[in-house]
Amino acid sequence: MPQEGQALTDTSSSSPAPAVAPRRSGRWKLIVPIVVVIVPLVGFAAWTWITLHVSYSNGERVGYIQKISHKGWVCKTWEGELAMVSMPGTAPQIFYFTVPRDLVARKIMDAAGQRVALVYEQHRGVPSKCFGETEYFITDVRVVGQ
């Protein structure tokens, strides 16, 4: 047992320990691009998928189609306006909407001039206008009897 202040030495081996050269790993060349590029891209894709597939609210709006058009420079979307009139003689409230499917847009155009009910889903936080200019996505339309 060594006394206080004395160092403990190993006397079993007479040869000095070999010097270990620092090992340079190439793993950082793989980890940095993953952290800087791939993780944000996966996060953005996951956020986009969630906002497009999970609706914040859903409902129905009734009125007259005022306008529907296929808009956009790169990403073409169907955008429209529904004039909702609560009582005859009052100013209409305008409901702006996006139609993601061509089939539903065709049904809306066929019902022009008639009173319609638009079934919608509200998707908040969609990260790009490429999916639509509004957060109200029309899923179905039906003509309401006069």
Side-chain angles (χ1 to χ4, degrees), residues 122-139:
Q122 184 180 8
H123 295 275
R124 300 191 68 174
V126 178
S128 170
K129 296 287 184 190
C130 204
F131 299 104
E133 291 183 6
T134 71
E135 57 187 34
Y136 297 100
F137 291 79
I138 305 303
T139 58

Side-chain angles (χ1 to χ4, degrees), residues 58-65 82-83 95 97 99 101 103-120 138-146:
N58 54 14
E60 191 173 278
R61 302 276 176 116
V62 178
Y64 295 91
I65 298 297
L82 179 77
F95 173 65
F97 60 86
V99 185
R101 296 189 334 219
L103 180 65
V104 176
R106 173 58 49 202
K107 287 172 65 175
I108 291 172
M109 286 186 277
D110 290 342
Q114 302 174 53
R115 192 163 186 240
V116 296
L118 298 179
V119 179
Y120 71 89
I138 305 303
T139 58
D140 197 16
V141 60
R142 63 183 166 78
V143 176
V144 178
Q146 299 293 335

Side-chain angles (χ1 to χ4, degrees), residues 40 72 78 88:
W78 288 99

Side-chain angles (χ1 to χ4, degrees), residues 1-145:
M1 195 69 144
Q3 296 293 331
E4 188 175 326
Q6 288 182 333
L8 196 64
T9 58
D10 183 17
T11 56
S12 63
S13 163
S14 61
S15 65
V20 178
R23 184 174 162 213
R24 296 193 179 242
S25 175
R27 272 192 260 175
W28 65 271
K29 291 179 183 178
L30 180 64
I31 293 172
V32 169
I34 288 174
V35 170
V36 171
V37 176
I38 295 175
V39 170
L41 283 176
V42 169
F44 180 77
W47 177 257
T48 303
W49 187 90
I50 289 169
T51 59
L52 289 174
H53 289 86
V54 177
S55 65
Y56 176 74
S57 72
N58 54 14
E60 191 173 278
R61 302 276 176 116
V62 178
Y64 295 91
I65 298 297
Q66 190 164 338
K67 178 180 105 167
I68 186 164
S69 60
H70 205 211
K71 296 171 64 169
W73 293 105
V74 176
C75 303
K76 294 280 193 183
T77 59
W78 288 99
E79 305 297 327
E81 297 175 4
L82 179 77
M84 299 183 302
V85 180
S86 57
M87 287 191 320
T90 61
Q93 181 182 3
I94 303 298
F95 173 65
Y96 299 96
F97 60 86
T98 299
V99 185
R101 296 189 334 219
D102 291 339
L103 180 65
V104 176
R106 173 58 49 202
K107 287 172 65 175
I108 291 172
M109 286 186 277
D110 290 342
Q114 302 174 53
R115 192 163 186 240
V116 296
L118 298 179
V119 179
Y120 71 89
E121 291 180 350
Q122 184 180 8
H123 295 275
R124 300 191 68 174
V126 178
S128 170
K129 296 287 184 190
C130 204
F131 299 104
E133 291 183 6
T134 71
E135 57 187 34
Y136 297 100
F137 291 79
I138 305 303
T139 58
D140 197 16
V141 60
R142 63 183 166 78
V143 176
V144 178

